[in-house]
Amino acid sequence: MIQPDEIIRSNRRTLALSVDSFGRLIVRAPKRFPEQRIFAFIQEKEAWILRKKAERQGAGIKLPPENLNGYTLLLLGKQCTLYVVQTAKVGYDAENNAIYLPEKNPRERLIRWLKNNAKRILSEVTERTAKTMGTTYKSVNISSAKSRWGSCSGEDAIRYSFRLIYAPKEVIEYVVVHELAHTKHKNHSKAFWTEVATYVPDWKAKRKWLKLHGALMEIF
Ligand SMILES: [Zn+2]
Protein backbone atom coordinates (compact mmCIF):
# COMPACT_ATOMS: atom_id res chain seq x y z
CA MET A 1 0.00 0.00 0.00
CA ILE A 2 1.47 3.33 -1.03
CA GLN A 3 1.43 6.02 1.64
CA PRO A 4 1.02 9.67 0.66
CA ASP A 5 3.93 11.90 1.62
CA GLU A 6 1.63 14.84 2.12
CA ILE A 7 -2.11 15.44 2.29
CA ILE A 8 -3.12 19.02 1.60
CA ARG A 9 -6.68 19.83 2.58
CA SER A 10 -8.40 22.91 1.20
CA ASN A 11 -11.69 24.29 -0.07
CA ARG A 12 -11.36 22.33 -3.30
CA ARG A 13 -14.17 19.98 -4.34
CA THR A 14 -12.27 17.11 -5.88
CA LEU A 15 -9.49 14.74 -4.95
CA ALA A 16 -6.21 14.96 -6.89
CA LEU A 17 -2.98 12.99 -6.77
CA SER A 18 0.37 14.16 -8.02
CA VAL A 19 3.94 12.92 -7.84
CA ASP A 20 6.36 15.81 -7.41
CA SER A 21 9.81 16.08 -8.96
CA PHE A 22 11.37 14.24 -6.00
CA GLY A 23 9.01 11.28 -6.34
CA ARG A 24 6.79 12.26 -3.38
CA LEU A 25 3.09 11.47 -3.56
CA ILE A 26 1.04 14.60 -2.84
CA VAL A 27 -2.70 14.35 -2.23
CA ARG A 28 -4.97 17.36 -2.53
CA ALA A 29 -8.35 16.82 -0.91
CA PRO A 30 -11.49 18.69 0.15
CA LYS A 31 -11.50 19.67 3.85
CA ARG A 32 -13.62 16.85 5.28
CA PHE A 33 -12.99 14.17 2.68
CA PRO A 34 -12.79 10.79 4.51
CA GLU A 35 -9.32 9.34 4.77
CA GLN A 36 -10.38 5.81 3.79
CA ARG A 37 -11.66 7.13 0.47
CA ILE A 38 -8.34 8.81 -0.13
CA PHE A 39 -6.57 5.49 0.43
CA ALA A 40 -9.03 3.68 -1.83
CA PHE A 41 -8.29 6.19 -4.56
CA ILE A 42 -4.53 5.77 -4.10
CA GLN A 43 -4.95 2.01 -4.43
CA GLU A 44 -6.96 2.44 -7.59
CA LYS A 45 -4.22 4.63 -9.11
CA GLU A 46 -1.34 2.49 -7.86
CA ALA A 47 0.10 1.57 -11.28
CA TRP A 48 0.20 5.21 -12.37
CA ILE A 49 1.78 6.33 -9.07
CA LEU A 50 4.46 3.65 -9.21
CA ARG A 51 5.31 4.53 -12.78
CA LYS A 52 5.63 8.25 -11.94
CA LYS A 53 7.68 7.54 -8.81
CA ALA A 54 10.11 5.30 -10.74
CA GLU A 55 10.48 7.98 -13.40
CA ARG A 56 11.29 10.69 -10.84
CA GLN A 57 13.43 8.61 -8.52
CA GLY A 58 15.38 7.26 -11.50
CA ALA A 59 16.91 10.71 -11.80
CA GLY A 60 18.26 10.19 -8.25
CA ILE A 61 17.91 13.81 -7.16
CA LYS A 62 17.50 14.46 -3.45
CA LEU A 63 17.02 17.65 -1.47
CA PRO A 64 20.27 18.82 0.16
CA PRO A 65 20.52 18.70 3.96
CA GLU A 66 20.70 21.98 5.88
CA ASN A 67 24.46 21.54 6.32
CA LEU A 68 25.56 20.76 2.77
CA ASN A 69 28.44 18.55 3.84
CA GLY A 70 28.48 15.26 1.93
CA TYR A 71 25.70 16.21 -0.48
CA THR A 72 26.16 14.99 -4.03
CA LEU A 73 25.41 17.49 -6.74
CA LEU A 74 25.38 17.14 -10.52
CA LEU A 75 27.92 19.36 -12.20
CA LEU A 76 27.94 19.24 -16.00
CA GLY A 77 26.17 15.89 -15.63
CA LYS A 78 28.78 14.39 -13.30
CA GLN A 79 28.31 13.51 -9.63
CA CYS A 80 30.23 15.94 -7.48
CA THR A 81 30.42 15.85 -3.67
CA LEU A 82 30.25 18.95 -1.48
CA TYR A 83 32.55 19.27 1.53
CA VAL A 84 32.23 22.05 4.08
CA VAL A 85 35.75 22.72 5.33
CA GLN A 86 37.99 25.41 6.78
CA THR A 87 38.63 27.46 3.69
CA ALA A 88 38.16 31.06 2.69
CA LYS A 89 37.41 30.37 -0.98
CA VAL A 90 35.23 27.86 -2.82
CA GLY A 91 37.52 25.20 -4.25
CA TYR A 92 36.88 22.75 -7.06
CA ASP A 93 38.82 19.52 -7.40
CA ALA A 94 37.98 18.10 -10.84
CA GLU A 95 40.05 14.96 -10.35
CA ASN A 96 38.15 13.90 -7.23
CA ASN A 97 34.84 15.43 -8.27
CA ALA A 98 34.70 17.51 -5.12
CA ILE A 99 33.68 21.07 -4.26
CA TYR A 100 35.04 22.56 -1.03
CA LEU A 101 32.88 25.18 0.65
CA PRO A 102 33.72 27.58 3.48
CA GLU A 103 31.96 27.06 6.82
CA LYS A 104 30.51 30.56 6.71
CA ASN A 105 27.44 30.80 4.44
CA PRO A 106 28.26 27.66 2.40
CA ARG A 107 24.93 27.76 0.57
CA GLU A 108 25.28 31.38 -0.60
CA ARG A 109 28.89 30.81 -1.56
CA LEU A 110 28.03 27.69 -3.55
CA ILE A 111 25.23 29.45 -5.43
CA ARG A 112 27.49 32.39 -6.26
CA TRP A 113 30.16 29.97 -7.49
CA LEU A 114 27.63 28.08 -9.63
CA LYS A 115 26.34 31.36 -11.10
CA ASN A 116 29.83 32.60 -11.97
CA ASN A 117 30.73 29.34 -13.66
CA ALA A 118 27.38 29.14 -15.43
CA LYS A 119 27.96 32.63 -16.80
CA ARG A 120 31.46 31.75 -18.04
CA ILE A 121 30.48 28.42 -19.64
CA LEU A 122 27.19 29.60 -21.15
CA SER A 123 28.70 32.79 -22.58
CA GLU A 124 31.42 30.73 -24.21
CA VAL A 125 29.10 28.07 -25.67
CA THR A 126 26.62 30.71 -26.88
CA GLU A 127 29.32 32.71 -28.65
CA ARG A 128 30.75 29.64 -30.36
CA THR A 129 27.35 28.20 -31.31
CA ALA A 130 26.07 31.52 -32.70
CA LYS A 131 28.98 31.50 -35.16
CA THR A 132 28.18 27.93 -36.23
CA MET A 133 24.51 28.82 -36.70
CA GLY A 134 25.31 32.08 -38.49
CA THR A 135 23.32 34.25 -36.12
CA THR A 136 23.83 37.03 -33.58
CA TYR A 137 22.29 37.94 -30.21
CA LYS A 138 22.25 40.95 -27.93
CA SER A 139 23.48 39.59 -24.60
CA VAL A 140 23.79 36.57 -22.30
CA ASN A 141 22.61 36.80 -18.70
CA ILE A 142 22.23 34.33 -15.89
CA SER A 143 19.03 34.17 -13.86
CA SER A 144 17.80 32.21 -10.87
CA ALA A 145 14.72 31.06 -12.78
CA LYS A 146 13.11 27.90 -11.48
CA SER A 147 10.49 27.58 -14.17
CA ARG A 148 12.62 27.67 -17.31
CA TRP A 149 16.13 26.69 -18.34
CA GLY A 150 16.51 29.47 -20.86
CA SER A 151 14.73 32.24 -22.72
CA CYS A 152 15.28 34.61 -25.60
CA SER A 153 13.58 38.02 -25.70
CA GLY A 154 12.15 39.79 -28.72
CA GLU A 155 15.38 41.80 -28.80
CA ASP A 156 17.50 38.61 -28.76
CA ALA A 157 18.67 39.02 -25.16
CA ILE A 158 19.32 35.49 -23.94
CA ARG A 159 18.87 34.36 -20.35
CA TYR A 160 19.80 31.03 -18.82
CA SER A 161 19.02 29.68 -15.38
CA PHE A 162 22.28 29.09 -13.51
CA ARG A 163 20.81 25.64 -12.78
CA LEU A 164 21.65 24.61 -16.32
CA ILE A 165 25.20 24.04 -15.07
CA TYR A 166 24.00 20.75 -13.51
CA ALA A 167 23.24 19.32 -16.96
CA PRO A 168 25.64 17.38 -19.20
CA LYS A 169 27.43 19.46 -21.84
CA GLU A 170 25.35 18.05 -24.72
CA VAL A 171 22.15 19.06 -22.92
CA ILE A 172 23.54 22.56 -22.32
CA GLU A 173 24.40 22.75 -26.00
CA TYR A 174 20.82 21.84 -26.89
CA VAL A 175 19.43 24.68 -24.72
CA VAL A 176 21.90 27.11 -26.32
CA VAL A 177 20.90 26.00 -29.83
CA HIS A 178 17.23 26.28 -28.79
CA GLU A 179 17.60 29.88 -27.57
CA LEU A 180 19.73 30.91 -30.56
CA ALA A 181 17.16 29.38 -32.93
CA HIS A 182 14.72 31.89 -31.40
CA THR A 183 16.82 34.72 -32.83
CA LYS A 184 15.59 33.43 -36.21
CA HIS A 185 12.13 32.11 -35.24
CA LYS A 186 10.17 33.80 -32.44
CA ASN A 187 7.97 30.75 -31.88
CA HIS A 188 8.04 26.96 -31.70
CA SER A 189 6.93 26.43 -35.28
CA LYS A 190 7.96 23.55 -37.52
CA ALA A 191 10.62 25.79 -39.06
CA PHE A 192 12.00 26.46 -35.57
CA TRP A 193 12.35 22.75 -34.73
CA THR A 194 13.89 22.05 -38.15
CA GLU A 195 16.51 24.68 -37.33
CA VAL A 196 17.17 23.09 -33.93
CA ALA A 197 17.39 19.59 -35.46
CA THR A 198 20.02 20.79 -37.93
CA TYR A 199 22.43 21.30 -35.02
CA VAL A 200 21.03 18.85 -32.45
CA PRO A 201 19.44 15.92 -34.33
CA ASP A 202 18.44 14.15 -31.08
CA TRP A 203 16.99 17.24 -29.39
CA LYS A 204 14.07 15.15 -28.16
CA ALA A 205 16.36 13.09 -25.93
CA LYS A 206 17.93 16.27 -24.52
CA ARG A 207 14.54 17.75 -23.80
CA LYS A 208 13.53 14.53 -22.08
CA TRP A 209 16.65 14.70 -19.88
CA LEU A 210 15.67 18.20 -18.73
CA LYS A 211 12.13 17.06 -18.02
CA LEU A 212 13.23 14.01 -16.00
CA HIS A 213 15.66 16.14 -14.05
CA GLY A 214 13.18 18.92 -13.33
CA ALA A 215 13.91 18.48 -9.59
CA LEU A 216 17.29 20.11 -10.24
CA MET A 217 15.36 23.38 -10.45
CA GLU A 218 14.37 23.06 -6.79
CA ILE A 219 17.43 21.91 -4.88
CA PHE A 220 18.71 25.44 -4.21
ZN1 LIG B 1 11.67 28.06 -26.94
Side-chain angles (χ1 to χ4, degrees):
M1 176 77 205
I2 306 171
Q3 295 292 325
D5 293 280
E6 205 179 336
I7 299 178
I8 304 166
R9 291 190 182 266
S10 66
N11 286 328
R12 60 180 297 134
R13 286 166 182 222
T14 55
L15 190 62
L17 305 182
S18 62
V19 175
D20 75 7
S21 33
F22 296 100
R24 297 163 62 238
L25 175 60
I26 313 293
V27 178
R28 287 183 174 77
K31 279 217 173 97
R32 270 176 277 280
F33 201 84
E35 205 149 270
Q36 78 220 52
R37 280 180 64 196
I38 293 179
F39 284 102
F41 191 59
I42 289 175
Q43 204 152 19
E44 197 181 306
K45 298 285 172 196
E46 197 174 59
W48 177 85
I49 297 166
L50 289 176
R51 197 174 69 238
K52 283 281 158 193
K53 273 181 171 280
E55 210 174 275
R56 300 304 188 197
Q57 286 161 350
I61 302 155
K62 294 187 179 74
L63 273 172
E66 198 46 41
N67 173 332
L68 300 178
N69 198 33
Y71 181 68
T72 304
L73 187 82
L74 276 185
L75 192 68
L76 299 177
K78 263 199 235 150
Q79 304 267 6
C80 198
T81 308
L82 304 179
Y83 296 99
V84 179
V85 294
Q86 280 194 322
T87 175
K89 266 178 65 181
V90 177
Y92 173 53
D93 180 349
E95 208 169 310
N96 294 306
N97 291 315
I99 298 176
Y100 299 100
L101 301 170
E103 287 168 329
K104 202 176 168 213
N105 303 326
R107 204 171 268 255
E108 289 72 16
R109 296 294 297 275
L110 172 68
I111 292 170
R112 203 186 313 155
W113 186 85
L114 291 171
K115 281 184 180 170
N116 288 339
N117 282 285
K119 170 93 184 176
R120 181 177 54 80
I121 293 167
L122 287 159
S123 301
E124 212 175 270
V125 178
T126 306
E127 199 184 325
R128 172 164 39 86
T129 310
K131 277 185 196 139
T132 312
M133 292 174 71
T135 190
T136 54
Y137 54 95
K138 193 172 160 229
S139 55
V140 169
N141 280 295
I142 300 299
S143 76
S144 298
K146 286 192 166 186
S147 54
R148 42 172 56 185
W149 298 100
S151 67
C152 179
S153 76
E155 289 75 43
D156 298 338
I158 296 175
R159 269 178 184 279
Y160 301 107
S161 171
F162 79 85
R163 299 175 168 87
L164 203 49
I165 198 174
Y166 304 135
K169 258 219 145 127
E170 316 84 68
V171 174
I172 292 179
E173 276 159 7
Y174 154 67
V175 175
V176 171
V177 165
H178 182 121
E179 300 315 332
L180 285 170
H182 278 315
T183 63
K184 300 183 184 181
H185 309 273
K186 298 286 172 202
N187 49 42
H188 292 112
S189 60
K190 215 168 168 219
F192 167 84
W193 288 113
T194 304
E195 175 83 21
V196 170
T198 308
Y199 302 98
V200 187
D202 64 340
W203 58 270
K204 281 188 182 161
K206 312 295 193 254
R207 214 159 68 138
K208 187 155 187 215
W209 191 98
L210 290 169
K211 200 172 170 223
L212 280 180
H213 292 77
L216 288 175
M217 284 286 192
E218 320 205 5
I219 54 178
F220 288 113

mmCIF file with all atom_site columns, all heavy atoms in Angstrom, residues 174-185:
data_model
loop_
_atom_site.group_PDB
_atom_site.id
_atom_site.type_symbol
_atom_site.label_atom_id
_atom_site.label_alt_id
_atom_site.label_comp_id
_atom_site.label_asym_id
_atom_site.label_entity_id
_atom_site.label_seq_id
_atom_site.pdbx_PDB_ins_code
_atom_site.Cartn_x
_atom_site.Cartn_y
_atom_site.Cartn_z
_atom_site.occupancy
_atom_site.B_iso_or_equiv
_atom_site.pdbx_formal_charge
_atom_site.auth_seq_id
_atom_site.auth_comp_id
_atom_site.auth_asym_id
_atom_site.auth_atom_id
_atom_site.pdbx_PDB_model_num
ATOM 1   N N   . TYR A 1 174 ? 22.174 21.826 -26.319 1.00 0.00 ? 174 TYR A N   1
ATOM 2   C CA  . TYR A 1 174 ? 20.817 21.843 -26.891 1.00 0.00 ? 174 TYR A CA  1
ATOM 3   C C   . TYR A 1 174 ? 20.077 23.116 -26.478 1.00 0.00 ? 174 TYR A C   1
ATOM 4   O O   . TYR A 1 174 ? 19.455 23.782 -27.302 1.00 0.00 ? 174 TYR A O   1
ATOM 5   C CB  . TYR A 1 174 ? 20.008 20.598 -26.480 1.00 0.00 ? 174 TYR A CB  1
ATOM 6   C CG  . TYR A 1 174 ? 18.524 20.874 -26.498 1.00 0.00 ? 174 TYR A CG  1
ATOM 7   C CD1 . TYR A 1 174 ? 17.868 21.121 -27.715 1.00 0.00 ? 174 TYR A CD1 1
ATOM 8   C CD2 . TYR A 1 174 ? 17.788 20.985 -25.317 1.00 0.00 ? 174 TYR A CD2 1
ATOM 9   C CE1 . TYR A 1 174 ? 16.523 21.446 -27.742 1.00 0.00 ? 174 TYR A CE1 1
ATOM 10  C CE2 . TYR A 1 174 ? 16.447 21.315 -25.330 1.00 0.00 ? 174 TYR A CE2 1
ATOM 11  C CZ  . TYR A 1 174 ? 15.817 21.544 -26.543 1.00 0.00 ? 174 TYR A CZ  1
ATOM 12  O OH  . TYR A 1 174 ? 14.489 21.899 -26.569 1.00 0.00 ? 174 TYR A OH  1
ATOM 13  N N   . VAL A 1 175 ? 20.149 23.480 -25.204 1.00 0.00 ? 175 VAL A N   1
ATOM 14  C CA  . VAL A 1 175 ? 19.425 24.677 -24.725 1.00 0.00 ? 175 VAL A CA  1
ATOM 15  C C   . VAL A 1 175 ? 19.972 25.924 -25.438 1.00 0.00 ? 175 VAL A C   1
ATOM 16  O O   . VAL A 1 175 ? 19.210 26.803 -25.844 1.00 0.00 ? 175 VAL A O   1
ATOM 17  C CB  . VAL A 1 175 ? 19.505 24.824 -23.188 1.00 0.00 ? 175 VAL A CB  1
ATOM 18  C CG1 . VAL A 1 175 ? 18.850 26.119 -22.720 1.00 0.00 ? 175 VAL A CG1 1
ATOM 19  C CG2 . VAL A 1 175 ? 18.838 23.635 -22.495 1.00 0.00 ? 175 VAL A CG2 1
ATOM 20  N N   . VAL A 1 176 ? 21.282 25.974 -25.627 1.00 0.00 ? 176 VAL A N   1
ATOM 21  C CA  . VAL A 1 176 ? 21.899 27.113 -26.319 1.00 0.00 ? 176 VAL A CA  1
ATOM 22  C C   . VAL A 1 176 ? 21.394 27.183 -27.766 1.00 0.00 ? 176 VAL A C   1
ATOM 23  O O   . VAL A 1 176 ? 20.986 28.248 -28.243 1.00 0.00 ? 176 VAL A O   1
ATOM 24  C CB  . VAL A 1 176 ? 23.444 27.012 -26.252 1.00 0.00 ? 176 VAL A CB  1
ATOM 25  C CG1 . VAL A 1 176 ? 24.092 28.054 -27.149 1.00 0.00 ? 176 VAL A CG1 1
ATOM 26  C CG2 . VAL A 1 176 ? 23.923 27.173 -24.810 1.00 0.00 ? 176 VAL A CG2 1
ATOM 27  N N   . VAL A 1 177 ? 21.397 26.042 -28.453 1.00 0.00 ? 177 VAL A N   1
ATOM 28  C CA  . VAL A 1 177 ? 20.895 26.003 -29.830 1.00 0.00 ? 177 VAL A CA  1
ATOM 29  C C   . VAL A 1 177 ? 19.419 26.422 -29.850 1.00 0.00 ? 177 VAL A C   1
ATOM 30  O O   . VAL A 1 177 ? 18.992 27.194 -30.706 1.00 0.00 ? 177 VAL A O   1
ATOM 31  C CB  . VAL A 1 177 ? 21.081 24.584 -30.447 1.00 0.00 ? 177 VAL A CB  1
ATOM 32  C CG1 . VAL A 1 177 ? 20.253 24.415 -31.706 1.00 0.00 ? 177 VAL A CG1 1
ATOM 33  C CG2 . VAL A 1 177 ? 22.562 24.328 -30.735 1.00 0.00 ? 177 VAL A CG2 1
ATOM 34  N N   . HIS A 1 178 ? 18.652 25.941 -28.879 1.00 0.00 ? 178 HIS A N   1
ATOM 35  C CA  . HIS A 1 178 ? 17.229 26.281 -28.794 1.00 0.00 ? 178 HIS A CA  1
ATOM 36  C C   . HIS A 1 178 ? 17.044 27.803 -28.690 1.00 0.00 ? 178 HIS A C   1
ATOM 37  O O   . HIS A 1 178 ? 16.282 28.400 -29.453 1.00 0.00 ? 178 HIS A O   1
ATOM 38  C CB  . HIS A 1 178 ? 16.615 25.572 -27.571 1.00 0.00 ? 178 HIS A CB  1
ATOM 39  C CG  . HIS A 1 178 ? 15.144 25.811 -27.394 1.00 0.00 ? 178 HIS A CG  1
ATOM 40  N ND1 . HIS A 1 178 ? 14.229 24.784 -27.388 1.00 0.00 ? 178 HIS A ND1 1
ATOM 41  C CD2 . HIS A 1 178 ? 14.435 26.951 -27.216 1.00 0.00 ? 178 HIS A CD2 1
ATOM 42  C CE1 . HIS A 1 178 ? 13.013 25.306 -27.222 1.00 0.00 ? 178 HIS A CE1 1
ATOM 43  N NE2 . HIS A 1 178 ? 13.114 26.620 -27.111 1.00 0.00 ? 178 HIS A NE2 1
ATOM 44  N N   . GLU A 1 179 ? 17.771 28.431 -27.754 1.00 0.00 ? 179 GLU A N   1
ATOM 45  C CA  . GLU A 1 179 ? 17.604 29.882 -27.573 1.00 0.00 ? 179 GLU A CA  1
ATOM 46  C C   . GLU A 1 179 ? 18.107 30.659 -28.788 1.00 0.00 ? 179 GLU A C   1
ATOM 47  O O   . GLU A 1 179 ? 17.486 31.636 -29.197 1.00 0.00 ? 179 GLU A O   1
ATOM 48  C CB  . GLU A 1 179 ? 18.279 30.365 -26.289 1.00 0.00 ? 179 GLU A CB  1
ATOM 49  C CG  . GLU A 1 179 ? 17.743 29.718 -25.001 1.00 0.00 ? 179 GLU A CG  1
ATOM 50  C CD  . GLU A 1 179 ? 16.224 29.626 -24.909 1.00 0.00 ? 179 GLU A CD  1
ATOM 51  O OE1 . GLU A 1 179 ? 15.532 30.467 -25.517 1.00 0.00 ? 179 GLU A OE1 1
ATOM 52  O OE2 . GLU A 1 179 ? 15.726 28.707 -24.239 1.00 0.00 ? 179 GLU A OE2 1
ATOM 53  N N   . LEU A 1 180 ? 19.210 30.218 -29.368 1.00 0.00 ? 180 LEU A N   1
ATOM 54  C CA  . LEU A 1 180 ? 19.729 30.911 -30.558 1.00 0.00 ? 180 LEU A CA  1
ATOM 55  C C   . LEU A 1 180 ? 18.788 30.734 -31.753 1.00 0.00 ? 180 LEU A C   1
ATOM 56  O O   . LEU A 1 180 ? 18.670 31.641 -32.590 1.00 0.00 ? 180 LEU A O   1
ATOM 57  C CB  . LEU A 1 180 ? 21.133 30.423 -30.889 1.00 0.00 ? 180 LEU A CB  1
ATOM 58  C CG  . LEU A 1 180 ? 22.237 30.965 -29.965 1.00 0.00 ? 180 LEU A CG  1
ATOM 59  C CD1 . LEU A 1 180 ? 23.550 30.228 -30.216 1.00 0.00 ? 180 LEU A CD1 1
ATOM 60  C CD2 . LEU A 1 180 ? 22.436 32.472 -30.163 1.00 0.00 ? 180 LEU A CD2 1
ATOM 61  N N   . ALA A 1 181 ? 18.123 29.594 -31.836 1.00 0.00 ? 181 ALA A N   1
ATOM 62  C CA  . ALA A 1 181 ? 17.160 29.378 -32.929 1.00 0.00 ? 181 ALA A CA  1
ATOM 63  C C   . ALA A 1 181 ? 16.019 30.385 -32.812 1.00 0.00 ? 181 ALA A C   1
ATOM 64  O O   . ALA A 1 181 ? 15.401 30.761 -33.810 1.00 0.00 ? 181 ALA A O   1
ATOM 65  C CB  . ALA A 1 181 ? 16.632 27.951 -32.901 1.00 0.00 ? 181 ALA A CB  1
ATOM 66  N N   . HIS A 1 182 ? 15.763 30.865 -31.586 1.00 0.00 ? 182 HIS A N   1
ATOM 67  C CA  . HIS A 1 182 ? 14.724 31.889 -31.399 1.00 0.00 ? 182 HIS A CA  1
ATOM 68  C C   . HIS A 1 182 ? 15.146 33.257 -31.940 1.00 0.00 ? 182 HIS A C   1
ATOM 69  O O   . HIS A 1 182 ? 14.304 34.139 -32.104 1.00 0.00 ? 182 HIS A O   1
ATOM 70  C CB  . HIS A 1 182 ? 14.363 32.026 -29.912 1.00 0.00 ? 182 HIS A CB  1
ATOM 71  C CG  . HIS A 1 182 ? 13.396 30.990 -29.449 1.00 0.00 ? 182 HIS A CG  1
ATOM 72  N ND1 . HIS A 1 182 ? 12.276 30.634 -30.156 1.00 0.00 ? 182 HIS A ND1 1
ATOM 73  C CD2 . HIS A 1 182 ? 13.381 30.206 -28.330 1.00 0.00 ? 182 HIS A CD2 1
ATOM 74  C CE1 . HIS A 1 182 ? 11.611 29.685 -29.494 1.00 0.00 ? 182 HIS A CE1 1
ATOM 75  N NE2 . HIS A 1 182 ? 12.271 29.404 -28.385 1.00 0.00 ? 182 HIS A NE2 1
ATOM 76  N N   . THR A 1 183 ? 16.422 33.454 -32.210 1.00 0.00 ? 183 THR A N   1
ATOM 77  C CA  . THR A 1 183 ? 16.820 34.717 -32.835 1.00 0.00 ? 183 THR A CA  1
ATOM 78  C C   . THR A 1 183 ? 16.339 34.734 -34.290 1.00 0.00 ? 183 THR A C   1
ATOM 79  O O   . THR A 1 183 ? 16.190 35.786 -34.895 1.00 0.00 ? 183 THR A O   1
ATOM 80  C CB  . THR A 1 183 ? 18.354 34.938 -32.809 1.00 0.00 ? 183 THR A CB  1
ATOM 81  O OG1 . THR A 1 183 ? 18.990 33.909 -33.581 1.00 0.00 ? 183 THR A OG1 1
ATOM 82  C CG2 . THR A 1 183 ? 18.906 34.922 -31.394 1.00 0.00 ? 183 THR A CG2 1
ATOM 83  N N   . LYS A 1 184 ? 16.082 33.525 -34.823 1.00 0.00 ? 184 LYS A N   1
ATOM 84  C CA  . LYS A 1 184 ? 15.591 33.428 -36.210 1.00 0.00 ? 184 LYS A CA  1
ATOM 85  C C   . LYS A 1 184 ? 14.082 33.200 -36.249 1.00 0.00 ? 184 LYS A C   1
ATOM 86  O O   . LYS A 1 184 ? 13.404 33.645 -37.169 1.00 0.00 ? 184 LYS A O   1
ATOM 87  C CB  . LYS A 1 184 ? 16.289 32.273 -36.930 1.00 0.00 ? 184 LYS A CB  1
ATOM 88  C CG  . LYS A 1 184 ? 17.807 32.407 -37.006 1.00 0.00 ? 184 LYS A CG  1
ATOM 89  C CD  . LYS A 1 184 ? 18.409 31.250 -37.794 1.00 0.00 ? 184 LYS A CD  1
ATOM 90  C CE  . LYS A 1 184 ? 19.924 31.305 -37.798 1.00 0.00 ? 184 LYS A CE  1
ATOM 91  N NZ  . LYS A 1 184 ? 20.513 30.210 -38.580 1.00 0.00 ? 184 LYS A NZ  1
ATOM 92  N N   . HIS A 1 185 ? 13.568 32.425 -35.286 1.00 0.00 ? 185 HIS A N   1
ATOM 93  C CA  . HIS A 1 185 ? 12.128 32.113 -35.237 1.00 0.00 ? 185 HIS A CA  1
ATOM 94  C C   . HIS A 1 185 ? 11.606 32.423 -33.844 1.00 0.00 ? 185 HIS A C   1
ATOM 95  O O   . HIS A 1 185 ? 12.018 31.800 -32.880 1.00 0.00 ? 185 HIS A O   1
ATOM 96  C CB  . HIS A 1 185 ? 11.888 30.620 -35.507 1.00 0.00 ? 185 HIS A CB  1
ATOM 97  C CG  . HIS A 1 185 ? 12.570 30.119 -36.743 1.00 0.00 ? 185 HIS A CG  1
ATOM 98  N ND1 . HIS A 1 185 ? 11.993 30.189 -37.987 1.00 0.00 ? 185 HIS A ND1 1
ATOM 99  C CD2 . HIS A 1 185 ? 13.793 29.539 -36.914 1.00 0.00 ? 185 HIS A CD2 1
ATOM 100 C CE1 . HIS A 1 185 ? 12.828 29.666 -38.883 1.00 0.00 ? 185 HIS A CE1 1
ATOM 101 N NE2 . HIS A 1 185 ? 13.927 29.269 -38.255 1.00 0.00 ? 185 HIS A NE2 1
#
